[in-house]
Amino acid sequence: FINDSLDPKKQILLMVPNINLVEQMFSDFKDFETEDITDIVARNYGTSKNKDWTKRIIISTYQSVKNQSQIFD
């Protein structure tokens, strides 16, 4: 449902205040979605160098977005 209702040319950035809420939101998406969401939803937080800013939905902390500001300029 999530993938079908999105404009294929746009991304959604969901910023949450802490890492626990990144995981909680991802888990909520999994609970309500009938399809596998790992292809369209990215969880970006912490010091990981493997953050994926190309997926259709990005759940991230403010700090991670701030550290990657060149992507959103």
Side-chain angles (χ1 to χ4, degrees):
F1 172 75
I2 294 172
N3 200 28
D4 295 336
S5 61
L6 295 176
D7 182 337
K9 298 175 187 164
K10 295 187 179 181
Q11 289 179 289
I12 296 174
L13 172 62
L14 300 168
M15 282 194 300
V16 296
N18 61 54
I19 292 170
N20 292 333
L21 291 176
V22 171
E23 290 299 332
Q24 180 181 339
M25 184 166 274
F26 184 80
S27 178
D28 289 346
F29 276 146
K30 281 183 12 183
D31 289 344
F32 291 108
E33 183 59 54
T34 57
E35 300 173 17
D36 182 20
I37 63 168
T38 56
D39 290 339
I40 62 167
V41 180
R43 296 171 286 177
N44 295 345
Y45 59 84
T47 58
S48 172
K49 301 291 183 197
N50 298 324
K51 295 181 178 99
D52 186 350
W53 298 101
T54 63
K55 293 197 177 179
R56 301 212 28 222
I57 300 173
I58 301 164
I59 308 169
S60 183
T61 59
Y62 168 78
Q63 193 66 36
S64 291
V65 172
K66 181 180 171 190
N67 291 341
Q68 294 295 323
S69 63
Q70 71 274 8
I71 292 174
F72 300 103
D73 288 342

